[in-house]
Amino acid sequence: MSLEQEAMKNFVQEKTAEKQILEEFAGAGEPTPEPAPVDNLIKIDFSFLMKKTGQGEVENYLGHPMNPKKSKGRARFLRGCTGIAGDLDLAIIDIMLGSFEMIMEKRAGNVADQ
């Protein structure tokens, strides 16, 4: 262990010991009350992450009106988006993979143009 790590470890141990002493001293007269549970927390439903992807193969989305360049990445993205709105097989995976493929296709197009 390096000197810096050892010094940091000793510092943390000293601060922890000081905190325990202060807590014991302050809490000697009365017990500390438990915090009340908070019921108004924001609860987020992540079930949309398990939605099924759009029907059909990715190739079926190559001719989609929102895919004018016939991009396979955009086709996968569109299939995933279609899935979120209806019956899909893990649409979030299609969206993520499609986005990645679109980025890679764009980079490949930029390199080819130079």
Side-chain angles (χ1 to χ4, degrees):
M1 188 181 311
S2 74
L3 291 176
E4 185 177 320
Q5 290 174 332
E6 192 172 326
M8 186 60 94
K9 182 180 174 183
N10 289 337
F11 177 76
V12 170
Q13 289 174 344
E14 289 173 5
K15 290 298 179 186
T16 304
E18 286 177 16
K19 182 179 177 185
Q20 288 175 346
I21 292 170
L22 288 173
E23 287 175 354
E24 290 173 5
F25 179 73
E30 57 192 56
T32 56
E34 291 292 321
V38 180
D39 291 331
N40 60 351
L41 291 176
I42 297 174
K43 296 177 183 170
I44 301 173
D45 180 19
F46 287 105
S47 64
F48 71 93
L49 293 175
M50 298 306 290
K51 290 261 189 178
K52 300 287 184 187
T53 195
Q55 294 181 353
E57 297 296 319
V58 173
E59 288 75 22
N60 297 347
Y61 291 83
L62 290 175
H64 194 280
M66 293 182 68
N67 191 3
K69 294 182 180 179
K70 309 283 190 249
S71 159
K72 187 173 181 180
R74 183 163 295 192
R76 185 176 304 278
F77 180 81
L78 289 169
R79 184 175 75 161
C81 289
T82 302
I84 287 179
D87 275 336
L88 302 182
D89 186 10
L90 300 180
I92 193 71
I93 293 173
D94 249 359
I95 292 170
M96 290 175 9
L97 289 174
S99 299
F100 180 73
E101 286 180 15
M102 286 189 314
I103 291 168
M104 297 308 291
E105 289 168 353
K106 185 175 181 181
R107 285 186 181 171
N110 288 342
V111 171
D113 292 339
Q114 292 178 356

